[in-house]
Amino acid sequence: MPPKSATTPKPLVAGNWKMNGSRASLQEITLMGLGYDADLRRNVDLLVCPPTPLLYPAATAALGTAIAIGAQDSHEKISGAHTGDVSPNLVLDTGATMVILGHSERRTDHGEKDSLIEQKAGSAIATGLVAIVCVGETRAEREAGRALAVVRRQLRGSIPRTATAAQLVIAYEPVWAIGTGLTPTANDVAEVHLAIRTDLKKLLGKQQGEMVRILYGGSVKPNNAKELLSIDNVNGALVGGASLKAADFMAIAETYR
Ligand code: PEP
């Protein structure tokens, strides 16, 4: 599935290792690199986001493969007295180029709110990182018919208005689909992604809004990637569990060959 046209964003398949992996897992990046040949590189960008202590060795393992490395969070301040936190400057210094922000696990585990995520995205972008801002409704919100309203509110509250399409990626991740094996219907994904696209054009201007990549995330696996990734306004995937093994991750990326 080659890119649809020069006026649609280049797809991105991003792996979120969460709090998994060790130095031994870095061999998976080497294996991913072996499968990421020139044809695939033309059609899709690849990103792996390991836990923070693995950022530098992962960036080293990825040298020469064209696989980008990203962090799973960065602080809203550039530096300072914030024990245990990681500045966007340091993320960049490791060789990483992107950062996931506002993942539902951070929103839940750390009480992160839209306004904080917007600040983090602003600092990450000012530092030179690409911010991947996550949005998505809970099961209760979907069942109450509030999925679109929730996602649109999160989007409005979490993205810096001055961001360009090169600096920002949105990941739509229904919370109830993460790590559960459940996925929304293709119609539901299409509806949310269209709403995100429409709002991005209003918030960032038509030209930038059209070119921001909107990833789908939530139980993307080799066996459902083709269906999910061919939906309109789905410009790639944010992959959790299936990004830990090169074979699974590359099988998803192969959708774009
Ligand atoms: C994620 O961690 O963002 C995610 C989508 O996880 P999984 O693919 O395992 O559902």
Side-chain angles (χ1 to χ4, degrees), residues 8-22:
T8 56
K10 184 176 182 188
L12 169 68
V13 174
N16 174 14
W17 284 8
K18 311 193 188 201
M19 203 173 70
N20 298 302
S22 62

Side-chain angles (χ1 to χ4, degrees), residues 16 18 103 105 173 177-180 217-221 238-242:
N16 174 14
K18 311 193 188 201
H103 189 282
E105 287 151 16
E173 300 205 302
I178 296 177
T180 59
S219 295
V220 178
K221 307 286 175 202
L238 181 52
V239 184

Side-chain angles (χ1 to χ4, degrees), residues 53-65:
L54 291 180
L55 282 174
Y56 178 71
T60 306
L63 281 177
T65 67

Side-chain angles (χ1 to χ4, degrees), residues 49 71-76 86 88 91 98-107 112-113 116-125 129-135 158-160 167-171 173 238:
C49 302
Q72 299 172 15
D73 180 49
S74 59
H75 199 269
E76 65 273 22
V86 177
V91 170
M98 301 195 185
V99 57
I100 299 171
L101 295 169
H103 189 282
S104 69
E105 287 151 16
R106 292 209 59 88
R107 289 179 186 259
E112 294 194 359
K113 299 273 179 286
L116 177 68
I117 295 158
E118 184 194 0
Q119 286 176 47
K120 289 185 173 201
S123 293
I125 289 170
L129 294 167
V130 175
I132 303 176
V133 172
C134 302
V135 294
S158 311
I159 63 168
Q167 295 170 323
L168 183 69
V169 175
I170 304 298
E173 300 205 302
L238 181 52

